Amino acid sequence: MEMMDWWESMPKVELHAHLNGSVRNSTLLELAKDLGEKGIIVFSEVEHVILKNDRSLTEVFKLFDLIHILTTDHATVTRITKEVVEDFAAENVVYLELRTTPKRNDSRGMSKRSYMEAVIEGLRKVDVLDIDFGSTEVGLEENGKSGQMIDDCVGISRTKIYVRLLLSIDRRETLAAAMETVKLALEMKDLGVVGIDLSGNPKVGEWITFLPALRFAREQGLRVTLHCGEVPNQEEIHAMLDFLPERIGHACCLEEDAWRKLKISKIPVEICLTSNIRTNTISSIDVHHFADLYNTNHPLILCTDDTGVFSTSLSKEYAIAATAFGLGKKEMFQLARTAVGYSFVEEQVASKLKDLFDLVEKSLAYND
Ligand code: 6MZ
């Protein structure tokens, strides 16, 4: 318990979190009850789906379809964004790179743009601490709560969370839809959008479909991260690595030559331990590639993927890694600190975050 307090109070950086995968179970149940009462779904049929713990990769994507039914209206998108940011802030995540797939839903009068506006509204509504989400709109980057101290990063009072956004392309989409997402990201650069992610069911679609959109994103100065190697598709994995994305997520199913290519490339890897084990992408923690990457100093970042879907938190992921790979507080603190350098945030903020880690480190006595 004492160790869990330590992981929670340590400042941390989250670079791979999907908005709709990070919704609280209590919120999903409340939304499901509501839709049940309106006769849109049958609550008793979905309750156990929400509460189920062990899910295959295929079941995870079925759950996302259900979550999207529950969250698809502007007010709900705003609500879940606010809650997700506040949940990460509560466990001392000092920088959050939150990703989400802009969605069009004509029956709700929702366009990709209005979906993203609802997300931004959620950021504005965060009120348990200050938030900087990179907005250049006067007065919006601060929400008027300055000076309020809500949390302690191992002894240092903290008043702010920095949030930046990545727009995700779902592998089910068309190239035209992906292009729309990239153009939207460019239009929203002043609202804290820093990059593009390619995600979605890895068994669906082909990444090559999206290559023109990803190239365009890069040419226009957006950073790119790809879900790579969640399933063993070596041809795709090689092509993705050849594209040299700024980061990749997962990297679970790389055969020897792709693994060698990754190591040479030095592309930082977003590691999501619980997600990989729960979906059985990796058979058990003791054979997880975290160890090899860590031992060879390959850039890596510990992340959650979907805190709601996998009932985890970033603090839990740090606790799991420390126990499984025999790492102490000092090593884990350094891991969190180096993550700042792999983020897509502007240099000025990265430097502030590094200062924060330095300040916290000075106050620490690492007694493992
Ligand atoms: C691939 C994933 C994922 O975008 O609606 N997503 N894509 N692999 C994973 N590992 C388990 N976890 C989440 O958040 C949910 C969407 O994120 C992607 C899927 O496209 C999912 O529909 P948003 O906020």
Side-chain angles (χ1 to χ4, degrees), residues 68-249:
H68 289 144
I69 291 170
L70 301 178
T71 60
T72 303
D73 68 73
H74 294 104
T76 307
V77 172
T78 296
R79 172 187 173 173
I80 62 170
T81 305
K82 171 179 155 58
E83 288 180 357
V84 167
V85 172
E86 291 185 351
D87 287 350
F88 277 112
E91 56 159 338
N92 282 305
V93 168
V94 291
Y95 175 73
L96 165 64
E97 221 159 81
L98 187 62
R99 55 186 79 189
T100 192
T101 321
K103 294 163 191 77
R104 183 177 152 186
N105 186 339
D106 293 339
S107 67
R108 304 268 178 151
M110 181 182 277
S111 63
K112 286 192 175 202
R113 169 169 271 283
S114 72
Y115 173 91
M116 283 313 301
E117 281 164 356
V119 169
I120 303 282
E121 189 55 24
L123 299 180
R124 286 191 189 116
K125 285 206 161 148
V126 168
D127 57 7
V128 298
L129 82 170
D130 279 350
I131 176 168
D132 173 320
F133 56 94
S135 162
T136 53
E137 292 166 67
V138 179
L140 284 177
E141 66 272 34
E142 300 279 343
N143 61 10
K145 294 269 170 180
S146 53
Q148 189 182 357
M149 293 181 188
I150 60 131
D151 254 319
D152 260 5
C153 289
V154 267
I156 306 281
S157 294
R158 189 175 58 84
T159 59
K160 190 182 261 186
I161 184 167
Y162 291 87
V163 180
R164 296 293 181 270
L165 298 170
L166 303 179
L167 302 199
S168 301
I169 296 168
D170 186 321
R171 296 177 62 113
R172 285 180 294 196
E173 290 184 287
T174 60
L175 173 60
M179 270 296 188
E180 191 187 341
T181 296
V182 173
K183 285 182 184 155
L184 184 59
L186 288 169
E187 286 163 24
M188 299 189 93
K189 262 179 148 180
D190 286 347
L191 288 162
V193 175
V194 290
I196 293 289
D197 156 58
L198 176 67
S199 53
N201 190 338
K203 295 175 187 163
V204 171
E206 290 189 48
W207 97 287
I208 207 83
T209 308
F210 309 105
L211 191 52
L214 297 168
R215 281 208 185 111
F216 177 63
R218 171 173 280 172
E219 280 159 19
Q220 297 297 314
L222 289 166
R223 319 291 281 279
V224 175
T225 176
L226 304 175
H227 279 60
C228 174
E230 242 181 324
V231 291
N233 178 346
Q234 300 308 312
E235 199 183 319
E236 175 175 290
I237 291 167
H238 273 281
M240 282 183 164
L241 293 175
D242 290 339
F243 178 72
L244 291 177
E246 275 76 25
R247 295 197 309 254
I248 57 170

Side-chain angles (χ1 to χ4, degrees), residues 18-25 28 49-57 59-61 63-64 67 274-275 278-279 304-312:
H18 299 270
L19 173 60
N20 277 278
S22 307
V23 184
R24 299 170 188 165
N25 268 355
L28 288 180
V49 182
I50 293 169
L51 294 176
K52 193 177 173 197
N53 243 335
D54 275 326
R55 297 184 180 95
S56 67
L57 200 58
E59 282 175 319
V60 162
F61 287 96
L63 176 61
F64 281 126
I67 294 175
T274 300
S275 163
R278 286 276 174 84
T279 55
T304 54
D305 209 6
D306 301 290
T307 53
V309 169
F310 299 119
S311 310
T312 191

Side-chain angles (χ1 to χ4, degrees), residues 273-287:
L273 296 170
T274 300
S275 163
N276 297 159
I277 303 297
R278 286 276 174 84
T279 55
N280 214 11
T281 332
I282 299 290
S283 57
S284 79
I285 193 90
D286 32 288
V287 295

